[in-house]
Amino acid sequence: MNGSTVDTVSTFCRVCEPLCGVLATVENGRITKIGPNPDHLSSRGHFCKKASKMVDVTYDPDRILHPMKRTGEPGEFTRISWEQAFNEICTSLKNTKSNFGKEAVAFYRGNPAVFSSANALVMDSFCKALGIKWRYDVDAEDGKAVKAALILMYGSMGGFTVPDLWHTDYVLIVGANPLVSHGSTISEPRVAMALKDIRKRGGQVVVIDPRRTETAKGNTHIPIQAGSDAYLISALIYEVIEQAWVDINFVESHTSGYEALKQAVTGCTPEWAETHSGIPASTIREIARDFATNKRACIHYRLGTSITRFGTLTTLLINCLIVVTGHLGREGGNKFGAGIIDAAKFGGNSIGENPGRASGLPDVGGTLPSLSMINDIETPGPEQVKTLLMIAANPCLTSTGAGPKMDAAMQKLDLFVSLDLYMNETNRFADYILPSAGMYEREDIPLLGFMEMLRPTLFATEAVIPKQGESREDWEILDEICRRLGHGSTLPFRPLRILAKMGLRAKPRHLMDLMIRTSSVGDKYGLKPGGLNLKKLQTQYPNGFVLHEQLPDSDIAKKLQTPDKKVHLGTPELCAEMERLKNDDFYLNDEYPLRMIGMREKLTHNSWMHNVLSPEIASYKHTARIHPEDARARNIQNGDMVQICSPYGKLEVEAKLTDTMNRGNLALPHGWGHQGGWENANARGGVNSNIIASDNPADMDKISGNAALNGIPVQLSKASPTQKVLTDKNSEVNKNG
Ligand SMILES: Nc1nc2c(c(=O)[nH]1)N[C@H]1C(S)=C(S)[C@@H](COP(=O)(O)OP(=O)(O)OC[C@H]3O[C@@H](n4cnc5c(=O)[nH]c(N)nc54)[C@H](O)[C@@H]3O)O[C@H]1N2
Ligand SMILES: Nc1nc2c(c(=O)[nH]1)N[C@H]1C(S)=C(S)[C@@H](COP(=O)(O)OP(=O)(O)OC[C@H]3O[C@@H](n4cnc5c(=O)[nH]c(N)nc54)[C@H](O)[C@@H]3O)O[C@H]1N2
Ligand code: SF4
Ligand SMILES: [Mo]
């Protein structure tokens, strides 16, 4: 016997939205493997390689494991104690408040932050406790347009309408690539299987995308010109109305504003849409017919529609199409989520109530776009942002406005504190980096997925391993700041904060427990002895507890948060945007004839998985995917360095010719061009794709302030010969993207 212990622990992955149940092999307190869990009731054995790479992230020698203080140039940090870090940060926060007012303190949330339920439960109350008025987040590069549309139509940004893929006969996938992304605003580990099943039962999967994506392969692919979906969808609505395919009963019972919608799409003929989108009018008519006349039809849409200039309008139109054809809340249509709490009730519903102080960009549900930060930090005057607290974010790479201006703004702050696993391209400018505990170092429930799950399932995990180094959970760090500033704690309820001041400190796990116990399956604190609580869920149901075998049909009026309990179709916002769309000449600029979009690759995740030392990730190269004809016209060959210029900036990157691109469009992944504390990532080259995105607030989506990162007008040319790099040119045209 060597005394070693090997355990296999059921837990769940928190890299992306399916939140797959996985098995962690733990040897002597160290995770050695993350693998699939065939018995997990949500993921049922689904697993992807990204999850297995979390072992490398957890033990990455470049991970920040101690509080660090900037003692020199950007990126030059010295280890300090937690005590020193908290002392100095809290003193500085107090000084900022007394010198400039509490409005000088701002908060920024990045994407990985929402994958911790504890964070989701306390970030709001942390900001409220500190009186933080300026809250920014990466949602403007992701889903602000979606949230704004949900607010306008359904009354709350928490009320996602998820495509009922397991029971549909026709799904229109517009601007999403779930075979690589594993789905977003939908939480379904087996999304690939669900799509396969649709085909098996004779149904259709139609993918509208400027690239013949992994999802498009084997399905019906309709190539589109990037940034033109609003034309397409308004023409689909036009055609549905023209052909009398509207579900009038549904519209009369559940909606308002139908006549205004009808008016707004006047003249939006399939021929008109063809000139903008490149999709033949006959195909548009076919899609309209198939979608409207199929009893079980739904739409899945994501970044290809939301991070565009007309992001909110496109999302509004998609939802109007779902609703007027009577596909809302029905089997095989788009249904409201059914988790243990109805997030729509707590989701927030404000748009533009607290616009950026200098950018004027609107907030959605109380948070502002990343871009607004630049102006709000740089512009002198009342309420100028002087201090920034940032959790799990890297806007200098991931946001619109990334580049010299964002870098400069970060350096103008009096105090910049970042909570992160790494020193990245943004927090290298910070004054302090505080080490965060990784996903397997914290307990959790799938709070983020509740409203998105196709088979709503409840599960929980304990921390699988101890916190590495001196890291702490994000919430613990926020809690300590609140305690030291005299607010008791960072928890949302006042009585809990008062109790904390008396030494009785509740934790987010108590709130998770509360949610479970008071839910329909909860033990109601003993009143329903057979019911669930957090502990019971963790110990007796390690593989989850299925809440609904399938999404229940929605009682629509009950799900809506609009005051009149109607879905609002032709809102003034939609009508005004339709007018703007009809008069838009943005893409008529011959100087920038191509359109650039983003793309995701299977094994990396936004900006934070390029450091993993794996041969597969190492084999990834940052390349722009270009159609061979677009390349030939410019004398560009596979592997050449090319220059891509937009009206806002330029970059150079290697070309990869592929006929998966729709002609006139090229794709470049984001999150590359590293210069942080991650050595392997830095060595992998590539460029920051967002330096050619606009940093002008006027260019953002009008309603939500969402960035327009898909459909950037660009010109393309071969870079000067000195820039040429050695590459394998064996394959001139790549068929696999
Ligand atoms: N492997 C991996 N998975 C991820 C991530 C990752 O970085 N890597 N990121 C996660 C995150 S944060 C998110 S939000 C989700 C995103 O999830 P998805 O939105 O499913 O992922 P994307 O790959 O961005 O897919 C957008 C699709 O829209 C297409 N597109 C671009 N412009 C247009 C357009 O104008 N019109 C239309 N119709 N299509 C267009 C693109 O070609 C692309 O196929 O993925 C998550 N999952
Ligand atoms: N051009 C273009 N730009 C895009 C996109 C696109 O499709 N095209 N997609 C956008 C989208 S959808 C998103 S969500 C954003 C993502 O943008 P961001 O959220 O800004 O960046 P990420 O790369 O997700 O990671 C941010 C940081 O979180 C840290 N991190 C990881 N796990 C944890 C944790 O558990 N705790 C803490 N405290 N930190 C952690 C990582 O180390 C990393 O430094 O990028 C956006 N940018
Ligand atoms: S799909 Fe996402 S949640 Fe599931 S195992 Fe892969 S990375 Fe984790
Ligand atoms: Mo995202």
Side-chain angles (χ1 to χ4, degrees):
M1 291 267 295
N2 59 11
S4 72
T5 58
V6 182
D7 284 325
T8 305
V9 184
S10 173
T11 178
F12 68 96
C13 175
R14 281 148 278 173
V15 176
C16 62
E17 288 167 68
L19 303 169
C20 302
V22 294
L23 292 174
T25 308
V26 185
E27 295 183 33
N28 298 321
R30 204 178 154 90
I31 299 180
T32 52
K33 187 180 162 205
I34 305 282
N37 180 356
D39 298 325
H40 199 274
L41 296 178
S42 173
S43 50
R44 291 171 281 174
H46 171 79
F47 175 71
C48 85
K49 282 188 179 165
K50 231 170 22 177
S52 66
K53 307 293 177 215
M54 285 309 295
V55 179
D56 304 76
V57 172
T58 304
Y59 302 111
D60 191 334
D62 290 337
R63 196 176 144 185
I64 300 278
L65 292 175
H66 307 281
M68 306 297 275
K69 177 178 180 174
R70 237 292 281 288
T71 46
E73 292 299 303
E76 287 179 23
F77 286 85
T78 305
R79 178 176 168 179
I80 56 169
S81 68
W82 274 111
E83 188 54 31
Q84 184 184 347
F86 281 126
N87 260 339
E88 293 180 6
I89 291 167
C90 290
T91 304
S92 180
L93 280 167
K94 281 182 204 154
N95 289 343
T96 304
K97 196 172 159 185
S98 60
N99 294 338
F100 305 104
K102 60 183 182 338
E103 293 78 12
V105 182
F107 184 84
Y108 188 99
R109 174 195 70 75
N111 173 269
V114 297
F115 286 82
S116 147
S117 310
N119 280 356
L121 290 166
V122 308
M123 281 187 297
D124 233 22
S125 43
F126 174 81
C127 290
K128 280 190 185 127
L130 267 67
I132 290 174
K133 180 172 176 186
W134 307 119
R135 291 182 61 180
Y136 305 90
D137 66 36
V138 75
D139 225 9
E141 282 71 28
D142 183 335
K144 276 207 186 297
V146 173
K147 288 178 181 162
L150 296 178
I151 290 171
L152 291 170
M153 286 185 71
Y154 307 120
S156 163
M157 66 184 201
F160 287 118
T161 54
V162 270
D164 188 13
L165 297 181
W166 292 108
H167 308 97
T168 198
D169 298 318
Y170 185 97
V171 57
L172 201 56
I173 299 184
V174 195
N177 188 15
L179 256 67
V180 168
S181 69
H182 300 288
S184 178
T185 65
I186 177 176
S187 185
E188 174 48 67
R190 302 199 312 155
V191 68
M193 181 69 75
L195 296 180
K196 221 177 187 176
D197 270 14
I198 297 173
R199 288 198 308 270
K200 260 200 209 156
R201 55 177 180 267
Q204 227 188 324
V205 178
V206 178
V207 180
I208 296 171
D209 201 300
R211 189 167 74 86
R212 193 172 69 245
T213 59
E214 296 73 2
T215 307
K217 276 174 207 154
N219 291 308
T220 309
H221 176 219
I222 317 269
I224 187 172
Q225 287 296 317
S228 69
D229 298 79
Y231 297 97
L232 165 71
I233 312 289
S234 49
L236 292 175
I237 298 176
Y238 171 91
E239 183 68 7
V240 162
I241 294 172
E242 278 290 299
Q243 301 298 333
W245 288 324
V246 173
D247 184 335
I248 291 294
N249 281 343
F250 190 90
V251 166
E252 282 177 355
S253 327
H254 296 298
T255 75
S256 67
Y258 173 66
E259 284 306 319
L261 172 68
K262 204 168 154 181
Q263 192 62 36
V265 297
T266 315
C268 300
T269 62
E271 284 72 18
W272 169 79
E274 176 177 344
T275 60
H276 293 281
S277 66
I279 302 177
S282 57
T283 308
I284 297 175
R285 292 205 163 86
E286 221 172 280
I287 299 173
R289 184 201 59 214
D290 291 347
F291 182 74
T293 58
N294 224 309
K295 252 192 140 57
R296 307 198 305 171
C298 59
I299 308 184
H300 175 52
Y301 53 94
R302 220 28 207 102
L303 291 193
T305 54
S306 63
I307 55 173
T308 60
R309 288 173 59 249
F310 285 97
T312 306
L313 174 64
T314 310
T315 317
L316 287 169
L317 290 168
I318 288 173
N319 279 276
C320 285
L321 180 61
I322 293 166
V323 173
V324 299
T325 50
H327 290 310
L328 181 69
R330 295 209 176 140
E331 183 175 286
N334 285 77
K335 288 183 170 179
F336 289 102
I340 52 165
I341 49 159
D342 185 357
K345 294 204 167 91
F346 311 98
N349 59 7
S350 61
I351 303 177
E353 285 181 9
N354 184 33
R357 64 173 283 274
S359 70
L361 283 166
D363 69 296
V364 176
T367 67
L368 289 158
S370 330
L371 176 64
S372 190
M373 247 182 344
I374 299 179
N375 302 59
D376 298 352
I377 293 169
E378 295 274 4
T379 312
E383 305 193 347
Q384 184 179 3
V385 171
K386 303 271 186 190
T387 288
L388 184 62
L389 306 173
M390 179 176 279
I391 299 193
N394 196 5
C396 289
L397 269 197
T398 56
S399 297
T400 199
K405 282 193 191 165
M406 185 73 84
D407 289 0
M410 293 297 120
Q411 294 177 76
K412 298 264 167 58
L413 293 160
D414 291 352
L415 172 70
F416 177 7
V417 180
S418 157
L419 281 56
D420 210 288
L421 303 181
Y422 288 102
M423 189 225 297
N424 63 27
E425 288 63 35
T426 307
N427 64 18
R428 69 195 162 115
F429 300 118
D431 299 293
Y432 299 88
I433 304 178
L434 304 179
S436 296
M439 63 182 70
Y440 294 113
E441 296 148 51
R442 41 184 210 241
E443 62 187 339
D444 222 331
I445 57 170
L447 187 55
L448 173 74
F450 281 158
M451 297 308 282
E452 305 178 354
M453 289 177 179
L454 291 190
R455 188 165 178 262
T457 306
L458 192 54
F459 41 95
T461 181
E462 292 276 14
V464 174
I465 48 165
K467 294 178 195 108
Q468 300 298 291
E470 287 188 282
S471 69
R472 296 190 184 183
E473 287 191 49
D474 294 330
W475 81 266
E476 292 178 299
I477 300 170
L478 302 183
D479 200 57
E480 182 62 13
I481 292 174
C482 280
R483 192 183 72 78
R484 288 181 183 237
L485 292 178
H487 304 297
S489 91
T490 188
L491 292 183
F493 306 115
R494 218 171 101 84
L496 293 180
R497 294 199 294 272
I498 294 170
L499 284 173
K501 284 186 189 173
M502 292 154 48
L504 294 167
R505 306 190 68 74
K507 296 178 172 180
R509 72 167 284 128
H510 298 117
L511 299 180
M512 297 178 206
D513 193 37
L514 173 87
M515 265 190 274
I516 294 168
R517 300 182 87 160
T518 54
S519 75
S520 60
V521 292
D523 68 2
K524 313 279 183 209
Y525 288 92
L527 289 178
K528 256 177 77 182
L532 290 177
N533 57 45
L534 181 62
K535 195 82 215 157
K536 203 164 165 185
L537 187 63
Q538 281 167 340
T539 52
Q540 293 182 23
Y541 299 93
N543 293 321
F545 179 95
V546 176
L547 293 168
H548 304 281
E549 280 297 339
Q550 64 183 74
L551 274 176
D553 286 0
S554 315
D555 179 342
I556 299 202
K558 275 199 183 144
K559 288 287 183 183
L560 296 176
Q561 302 301 318
T562 47
D564 57 359
K565 299 289 170 200
K566 301 274 183 207
V567 179
H568 295 177
L569 296 173
T571 54
E573 290 83 355
L574 179 145
C575 298
E577 282 295 88
M578 276 307 296
E579 270 317 294
R580 211 164 64 83
L581 180 78
K582 288 176 180 173
N583 296 308
D584 191 50
D585 59 4
F586 186 70
Y587 288 117
L588 300 180
N589 185 346
D590 290 341
E591 212 186 323
Y592 300 96
L594 302 175
R595 302 180 191 191
M596 193 177 100
I597 60 171
M599 66 177 280
R600 290 178 150 73
E601 291 166 304
K602 272 203 169 140
L603 287 177
T604 61
H605 202 79
N606 296 322
S607 75
W608 62 278
M609 284 186 73
H610 289 124
N611 207 48
V612 172
L613 254 191
S614 110
E616 290 149 297
I617 296 185
S619 73
Y620 282 1
K621 218 173 202 191
H622 199 211
T623 57
R625 275 55 162 197
I626 301 167
H627 191 278
E629 293 300 321
D630 289 330
R632 196 162 303 138
R634 293 161 179 86
N635 197 25
I636 292 165
Q637 293 181 351
N638 205 34
D640 280 346
M641 285 301 281
V642 291
Q643 189 175 72
I644 304 173
C645 292
S646 76
Y648 325 105
K650 63 179 168 204
L651 58 79
E652 287 188 3
V653 70
E654 192 180 316
K656 182 171 177 178
L657 310 197
T658 165
D659 70 359
T660 54
M661 291 309 302
N662 188 14
R663 264 204 83 171
N665 298 263
L666 55 93
L668 184 64
H670 69 287
W672 283 79
H674 289 285
Q675 41 183 330
W678 23 34
E679 239 181 82
N680 307 326
N682 294 346
R684 284 182 178 158
V687 288
N688 180 348
S689 67
N690 283 334
I691 59 174
I692 66 168
S694 174
D695 56 21
N696 180 354
D699 292 333
M700 305 301 121
D701 172 50
K702 269 275 164 314
I703 298 177
S704 67
N706 210 111
L709 301 171
N710 278 328
I712 300 174
V714 293
Q715 47 179 253
L716 172 72
S717 58
K718 201 163 159 168
S720 64
T722 50
Q723 301 289 340
K724 203 158 166 57
V725 289
L726 287 173
T727 51
D728 175 6
K729 287 200 193 177
N730 289 342
S731 124
E732 247 335 271
V733 177
N734 191 300
K735 297 265 177 200
N736 297 311

